[in-house]
Amino acid sequence: KVVLSRIAAAFASDFAGWRITLPAEALSQRAAGVIQDQGWLIQYRFGRERGVEYLDYYAAHRMTDDTHLRIYATGRGKMLPSVCSMRLSSADPAEDRRLEAAYQRHNRRVARQLVAKGFDRFTMNMMLHAGLVSEKPEPTGS
């Protein structure tokens, strides 16, 4: 119970401004799930690392950067890789291409890690930043 209460408290603290908490049944059963509330898409799952329980969650909202966090049984959090919404750019075309490629590689790698973890729901912004859909409209035949 103490393990769950520290994890639940840390999660609730992260979303206190929206009064979003983990569902009681998810806590008691340590069940993975999804919360869609007040513009948030939050995917979560429980796990164990070196005998210590944790909760991983990925939170996306169109008004902020994504957050990927592991909350350990102690209540301590550890940031995990998330999809980047902004990238560095350069006036030098070759350097800008290199920066774009690094940005795409990072976001695609994170997207693959999320799917492998079972976090397979993506917002449109996540899909755009991960290069899973094109920002350019497809040409139509005439």
Side-chain angles (χ1 to χ4, degrees):
K1 296 252 186 213
V2 172
V3 167
L4 295 177
S5 67
R6 288 184 180 156
I7 288 173
F11 182 92
S13 175
D14 290 348
F15 296 98
W18 298 271
R19 295 187 181 130
I20 297 174
T21 59
L22 288 168
E25 61 276 4
L27 282 166
S28 66
Q29 297 173 16
R30 291 170 173 78
V34 176
I35 298 169
Q36 287 185 267
D37 191 14
Q38 302 178 67
W40 285 101
L41 171 61
I42 306 167
Q43 300 174 81
Y44 59 88
R45 77 187 252 294
F46 291 86
R48 193 176 280 278
E49 179 181 73
R50 295 185 189 108
V52 177
E53 281 192 88
Y54 64 81
L55 172 84
D56 279 358
Y57 76 77
Y58 195 91
H61 192 288
R62 66 181 180 82
M63 301 300 287
T64 187
D65 287 331
D66 295 0
T67 300
H68 190 190
L69 189 73
R70 176 166 291 172
I71 303 172
Y72 290 98
T74 61
R76 180 180 62 87
K78 174 185 172 185
M79 295 300 293
L80 300 172
S82 61
V83 172
C84 291
S85 60
M86 297 177 65
R87 76 166 183 92
L88 298 175
S89 63
S90 173
D92 176 324
E95 178 65 5
D96 195 56
R97 284 191 298 276
R98 186 192 71 73
L99 291 168
E100 172 69 20
Y103 168 81
Q104 290 294 327
R105 266 193 316 276
H106 169 82
N107 283 345
R108 286 188 176 128
R109 184 180 71 246
V110 170
R112 284 191 302 274
Q113 291 170 349
L114 293 173
V115 169
K117 190 181 275 195
F119 297 169
D120 57 2
R121 295 191 187 190
F122 288 81
T123 66
M124 182 55 75
N125 283 343
M126 290 168 68
M127 291 175 22
L128 287 169
H129 295 301
L132 301 176
V133 294
S134 173
E135 293 187 62
K136 299 177 184 118
E138 295 293 322
T140 55
S142 36

